[in-house]
Amino acid sequence: MEKELGFGQGVKDGVPIGLGYLSVSFTFGIMAIIAGLYWWEAVLISMTCVTSAGQLAGIQVMISPGRYLEMLVSQLTINVRYSFMSISLSQKVTEKFSGIWRWIFGFMITDEIFAVAVSKPVVRRSYFAGLSVMPYIGWTLGTLAGALLGDVLPASVMSALGIAIYAMFVAIVVPEMKKSRPVIFVVILAAGLSCIFTYVPVIKEVPSGIAISICAVVAAMIMAIIKPIRETADEPKKVEITDRM
């Protein structure tokens, strides 16, 4: 029987993500101040919109009033991938993780939180709530620190903080690659597709948000066809585990 994952385990699993977000949002806080926002405006954005690429793109539009259509298009293309993540994760949640709870916790769907949650056999709402706590705190406090203290740090340190998010992705993906060979192929395939969208003429003009979504969906579809995960006779087709949370 699988170990039940509750709020405490979620908080524990969320600590590395929170630490990673602390450094990444620090950079956002600095950029927001450079763009002309007040420190409290930068913090408010991070508290109400947890998306690194979306926020960085958003502040560029916000400093030019009236460009609402550009804001809509940029945020849609950058964040559309979260829709696919939510659909995938919904296949692993318990029966009580439904209705208004999906709306509430949908706010905290990010690449890193999704990667950790989807690796679990079952996702309870108590576990997902715990998993979201430290990333949210780290994202908010990092933005506050960046907005207030950014001018103190040298450029070399600022550059180093900018790559922290990539190290966090590696830390999340590598353990799963060690467990399953198909995951290795998915990662390699997605990376190859990403290179195409980065370097091939014409194709590289596709917005990054759309490119990321295409790479993820195409890589997953190809591997689902080549190496599908088949259900065993004693494995239920749908998670029907009930819990207190």
Side-chain angles (χ1 to χ4, degrees), residues 84-104:
F84 301 119
M85 295 179 188
S86 299
I87 293 173
S88 175
L89 189 59
S90 68
Q91 307 304 309
K92 290 196 170 187
V93 300
T94 60
E95 291 182 342
K96 290 188 176 181
F97 199 148
S98 60
I100 189 63
W101 294 107
R102 295 196 182 190
W103 286 83
I104 295 174

Side-chain angles (χ1 to χ4, degrees), residues 162-174:
I163 65 172
I165 187 70
Y166 302 107
M168 185 166 52
F169 274 126
V170 172
I172 292 174
V173 174
V174 169

